[in-house]
Amino acid sequence: MHWKERASIEKITIKEIAELAGVNKATVSRVLNGNANISARTRDKVMEIVKRHNYVPNALAKGLASNRTYTVGFCYDYTEKQAVSNPFFQTVLQGVEDVVYARNFLFLMMSMQRDQLAHSSFAKVVTERRIDGVLVPTQLFTEATHRLLRQEGMPFVVVGEPMISQPDVHWVDIDNVQASEKLTRRLLDQGLGDVRIVYDEADKVRDKFVLDRIEGYKRAMGASRLKPREATLPQVEEAFVGEAETVPQALIFSTESLLFDWLDTAASYPQAHSIRLATFDRSPFHRHMKYAVEAIEIELEAMGTEAADMLFALIDKNELAQPYIKIPSK
Amino acid sequence: MHWKERASIEKITIKEIAELAGVNKATVSRVLNGNANISARTRDKVMEIVKRHNYVPNALAKGLASNRTYTVGFCYDYTEKQAVSNPFFQTVLQGVEDVVYARNFLFLMMSMQRDQLAHSSFAKVVTERRIDGVLVPTQLFTEATHRLLRQEGMPFVVVGEPMISQPDVHWVDIDNVQASEKLTRRLLDQGLGDVRIVYDEADKVRDKFVLDRIEGYKRAMGASRLKPREATLPQVEEAFVGEAETVPQALIFSTESLLFDWLDTAASYPQAHSIRLATFDRSPFHRHMKYAVEAIEIELEAMGTEAADMLFALIDKNELAQPYIKIPSK
DNA sequence: CTGTTAGCGCGTTCAG
DNA sequence: CTGAACGCGCTAACAG
């Protein structure tokens, strides 16, 4: 059995339905698409046949005729092999899926390596018009990406606040300032005074959320009239070799990977065990880790649903109520 | 700007190319598809125009005409919310992607909740013929799934050995018996004698790999003339409340989630700290966990590439060299 | 080697 | 309210 025959198994078309119902193709099409001007009688007759023969529209033909694919894309970073396994990623994805499937759309995942736009499946999908819109994580939203999207007239929403904001770029993110402020306050409320925030130099330049988390931390510290102290991981470690430095009571890691890096080295310092650890994005692994980790629930799933909703607004009406959305932590 | 205009930005078609080159549409199509019988002159002329105008074929039209979508699907289990974040899942996925993109195919992710086939995007994609073939994880490969796939004549490969083997079902899996034997031997070689394997009753009935891992364990124990002892998690715990029982020297967890369950309860038993822990699928989180975990490298990425290769063989030639593939651990 | 003629399955005028 | 005719962009016979 060749694929050509295989693919035509039992697939009834709109034309055959029309013949069976004794009406025209166009009429069937109208019934199927809920067109208003149809007599109840013909509608029922057509629907009966549709049901009985288990008619399923051909998505390709429909797309070709209507210039729509009924598919949205989700682009993910393939540079870091762990991107997909990232709980962050997958929770957002879940929110997206709920919305996408509720709309009866499909969902095309595309990988893209940073700085490899030209050969990515992302570029291919966009230029071939296999999607009606796309969600792009902020890490992948470069100048080149933006240019391609705009040039192709492809609706898009950035997931995560882009570093440089532009008027025609719509995005959704959690409110990192608020989340960080809240997390910091939670530690302070536990009686800890010397709370510091740890960041990575490279991240700080590239990721807006790192800046925001530092900012939120500062606000909470300021509100308690405490001196904020931000540091890179190496700087924190100096506290254990130098003598003048005091050991912090708690460390807030601006990213989870920093926390992991810390765990790798902390074992060398006995004093490190008493430090309270905190980060964002609670993960199911936390409770199995060497030390207890304080984490704040951030609304990742909501981020996915909001992003998808924005994208559909763009696809449907080509306009947005708000240019961007910040989701506060509860 | 409405989507209809937006979508037609700058998109040159095969027909226009033909006019510019002064040839027929069909000729352009032949050039584009690398058809043999074309004079070098017309080929060059056509290609020059194609390049200059940045022609990109319309995937939908191509698919409609050739009855092909140039897309393969990957179905994942949405029942367990963590499925996508599972390192297992994502490593396999990576192997799949490499093959799929190398073939210039696209990649459609579909979710499916167990026992919810009818309303899944999976069923939709398959019946609407939006893919040329699909990869299905064994957990989702139920009777109903199989029936749908066969009824629609959709080529498929099961990822992971199905519990019940059937002649027309092709699959790829790692060699779990071999991997388990190897892992067990590694523990025995460390001088540990009382090594036991832990399984979950429900998993054992549903997942073939659990049976295989138990089998591999037994072989290694047998080869060392040791008495194999398999137990469920509750049974293992009894060792700590009863008195007659001895504390095992090592525990092999047939799944990672069992290991996690163990970690949750182990803290209560001081004797538990000395037990060596082992499992399959090394994960990046292991090294941050409370206790050291012995793990064996299994060829997950190869599993993905092999599965994809099998699928393409099915799509292209509708036949397979081997009905299934078992990948040994190195 | 290349042009002609038909569709693929569906949406969408434009009449009536 | 419904039918006829055409087009979406491309591939696939069949000629020549």
Side-chain angles (χ1 to χ4, degrees):
Chain A
M1 180 169 62
H2 189 256
W3 57 263
K4 189 146 187 185
E5 298 116 54
R6 181 176 62 208
S8 53
I9 292 176
E10 286 291 313
K11 282 298 164 188
I12 196 170
T13 72
I14 203 177
K15 182 185 166 193
E16 303 173 271
I17 300 259
E19 285 164 3
L20 290 171
V23 296
N24 190 278
K25 275 165 51 181
T27 306
V28 176
S29 175
R30 290 186 187 110
V31 171
L32 258 23
N33 293 300
N35 196 304
N37 290 351
I38 293 286
S39 76
R41 254 191 67 244
T42 60
R43 179 199 316 284
D44 292 346
K45 188 164 57 183
V46 168
M47 285 312 286
E48 195 269 327
I49 307 202
V50 162
K51 290 261 163 63
R52 182 144 49 85
H53 290 265
N54 235 289
Y55 168 78
V56 180
N58 180 313
L60 261 46
K62 191 169 178 175
L64 183 59
S66 61
N67 205 3
R68 285 268 229 155
T69 62
Y70 304 97
T71 307
V72 298
F74 189 105
C75 180
Y76 66 89
D77 194 348
Y78 196 65
T79 316
E80 302 175 38
K81 302 279 186 180
Q82 288 181 35
V84 190
S85 76
N86 190 332
F88 166 87
F89 175 87
Q90 85 99 359
T91 310
V92 174
L93 200 60
Q94 197 171 302
V96 173
E97 285 188 319
D98 289 345
V99 175
V100 171
Y101 293 146
R103 292 241 184 180
N104 252 297
F105 265 58
L106 253 30
F107 191 64
L108 198 59
M109 292 266 290
M110 304 164 296
S111 71
M112 171 176 159
Q113 304 198 30
R114 240 177 271 157
D115 311 319
Q116 287 274 80
L117 177 62
H119 304 120
S120 64
S121 63
F122 171 77
K124 189 178 176 191
V125 166
V126 170
T127 56
E128 284 185 356
R129 307 215 170 295
R130 311 239 309 201
I131 50 179
D132 294 334
V134 64
L135 261 17
V136 187
T138 178
Q139 292 85 352
L140 290 176
F141 189 69
T142 61
E143 260 310 310
T145 309
H146 189 189
R147 206 177 314 125
L148 174 67
L149 256 12
R150 208 163 36 188
Q151 170 186 316
E152 297 288 341
M154 178 67 67
F156 67 92
V157 170
V158 180
V159 180
E161 184 177 351
M163 201 62 182
I164 38 157
S165 67
Q166 294 167 68
D168 68 329
V169 174
H170 306 295
W171 54 267
V172 35
D173 203 346
I174 57 161
D175 189 335
N176 280 294
V177 174
Q178 183 254 9
S180 184
E181 191 171 355
K182 199 168 163 184
L183 178 60
T184 307
R185 197 165 300 155
R186 198 187 289 172
L187 293 170
L188 296 178
D189 286 348
Q190 291 172 20
L192 303 167
D194 186 355
V195 176
R196 306 184 194 172
I197 190 161
V198 186
Y199 66 91
D200 178 76
E201 206 65 71
D203 293 347
K204 193 180 179 183
V205 179
R206 197 181 45 213
D207 300 318
K208 181 71 163 61
F209 75 87
V210 172
L211 291 178
D212 287 348
R213 288 173 182 184
I214 292 175
E215 169 64 20
Y217 159 80
K218 282 182 178 167
R219 286 192 196 173
M221 292 298 274
S224 294
R225 302 180 196 287
L226 290 166
K227 182 169 166 258
R229 302 181 63 168
E230 40 177 305
T232 62
L233 202 50
Q235 288 169 349
V236 173
E237 287 181 46
E238 283 174 20
F240 299 104
V241 289
E243 298 102 38
E245 271 284 12
T246 56
V247 174
Q249 291 180 283
L251 290 175
I252 297 177
F253 296 88
S254 56
T255 69
E256 194 171 48
S257 77
L258 268 180
L259 166 61
F260 289 162
D261 291 343
W262 167 253
L263 290 177
D264 278 337
T265 59
S268 334
Y269 313 108
Q271 320 98 298
H273 301 356
S274 64
I275 301 176
R276 197 101 176 70
L277 272 19
T279 188
F280 303 80
D281 315 1
R282 165 163 293 126
S283 113
F285 289 100
H286 285 166
R287 76 169 195 283
H288 301 298
M289 297 201 319
K290 287 171 199 156
Y291 308 105
V293 174
E294 181 81 44
I296 190 163
E297 302 286 356
I298 54 185
E299 307 294 315
L300 293 177
E301 191 164 347
M303 197 165 151
T305 57
E306 292 290 354
D309 281 338
M310 279 179 90
L311 185 58
F312 279 115
L314 241 25
I315 292 175
D316 294 340
K317 304 184 289 285
N318 202 33
E319 62 179 36
L320 244 37
Q322 323 158 53
Y324 65 85
I325 295 180
K326 261 191 204 181
I327 305 166
S329 302
K330 279 186 294 226
Chain B
M1 182 170 61
H2 190 257
W3 57 265
K4 193 149 186 181
E5 298 117 54
R6 180 177 60 209
S8 53
I9 292 176
E10 286 290 313
K11 281 298 163 188
I12 196 170
T13 72
I14 204 178
K15 182 183 167 195
E16 302 173 270
I17 300 260
E19 285 165 2
L20 290 171
V23 297
N24 191 280
K25 273 165 54 182
T27 306
V28 177
S29 175
R30 290 184 188 111
V31 171
L32 258 23
N33 293 299
N35 197 304
N37 291 350
I38 293 286
S39 77
R41 256 192 65 244
T42 60
R43 181 201 314 283
D44 292 347
K45 188 163 58 184
V46 169
M47 285 311 287
E48 195 270 326
I49 306 199
V50 162
K51 292 262 163 63
R52 183 144 49 85
H53 288 266
N54 235 289
Y55 168 79
V56 180
N58 180 313
L60 261 46
K62 189 169 179 174
L64 182 59
S66 62
N67 206 1
R68 285 266 228 157
T69 62
Y70 304 96
T71 306
V72 298
F74 190 106
C75 180
Y76 66 89
D77 194 348
Y78 196 65
T79 316
E80 302 175 37
K81 301 281 187 180
Q82 287 181 34
V84 191
S85 75
N86 191 333
F88 166 86
F89 176 87
Q90 82 101 358
T91 310
V92 173
L93 200 60
Q94 197 170 303
V96 173
E97 285 187 320
D98 290 344
V99 175
V100 171
Y101 292 147
R103 292 242 184 183
N104 251 297
F105 266 58
L106 252 31
F107 191 65
L108 198 60
M109 293 265 291
M110 305 164 296
S111 71
M112 170 178 159
Q113 303 198 31
R114 238 177 272 158
D115 311 320
Q116 287 276 80
L117 179 61
H119 303 120
S120 66
S121 65
F122 171 78
K124 189 177 175 192
V125 167
V126 170
T127 56
E128 284 185 357
R129 305 216 171 297
R130 312 238 311 200
I131 50 179
D132 295 333
V134 64
L135 261 17
V136 188
T138 179
Q139 291 85 351
L140 291 176
F141 189 70
T142 60
E143 260 310 311
T145 309
H146 189 189
R147 204 178 314 123
L148 174 68
L149 254 13
R150 210 164 34 191
Q151 170 186 318
E152 297 288 342
M154 178 67 66
F156 66 92
V157 170
V158 179
V159 180
E161 183 177 352
M163 202 61 182
I164 38 157
S165 66
Q166 295 169 66
D168 67 328
V169 174
H170 306 296
W171 54 268
V172 35
D173 204 346
I174 57 161
D175 189 337
N176 279 294
V177 174
Q178 183 254 9
S180 185
E181 192 172 354
K182 198 168 163 184
L183 178 59
T184 308
R185 196 165 300 153
R186 197 187 288 171
L187 293 170
L188 295 178
D189 287 348
Q190 290 172 23
L192 303 168
D194 186 354
V195 177
R196 306 183 195 172
I197 190 162
V198 185
Y199 66 90
D200 178 77
E201 205 65 73
D203 293 347
K204 194 180 179 182
V205 179
R206 197 181 44 214
D207 299 318
K208 180 72 164 61
F209 74 87
V210 171
L211 291 178
D212 288 347
R213 288 173 181 184
I214 293 176
E215 170 63 21
Y217 159 79
K218 282 182 177 166
R219 286 192 196 171
M221 293 300 274
S224 293
R225 301 178 195 289
L226 290 166
K227 181 166 168 262
R229 303 180 64 168
E230 41 178 303
T232 62
L233 201 52
Q235 288 170 349
V236 173
E237 287 182 47
E238 284 173 19
F240 299 104
V241 289
E243 298 103 38
E245 271 284 10
T246 55
V247 173
Q249 292 179 283
L251 290 175
I252 298 177
F253 296 88
S254 57
T255 68
E256 193 171 48
S257 79
L258 269 179
L259 166 63
F260 288 163
D261 290 344
W262 168 254
L263 290 176
D264 277 338
T265 59
S268 331
Y269 313 107
Q271 321 99 297
H273 300 354
S274 63
I275 301 177
R276 197 101 175 70
L277 307 177
T279 189
F280 302 81
D281 315 1
R282 165 163 292 125
S283 112
F285 289 101
H286 285 165
R287 78 168 194 284
H288 301 299
M289 298 202 317
K290 287 172 198 154
Y291 308 105
V293 174
E294 180 81 44
I296 189 163
E297 301 286 355
I298 54 185
E299 306 294 313
L300 293 176
E301 192 165 345
M303 196 165 153
T305 58
E306 293 289 355
D309 281 338
M310 280 180 88
L311 185 58
F312 279 116
L314 242 27
I315 292 174
D316 294 339
K317 302 184 290 286
N318 202 33
E319 62 180 35
L320 244 37
Q322 324 157 53
Y324 64 84
I325 295 180
K326 260 190 203 181
I327 304 167
S329 303
K330 280 186 292 227

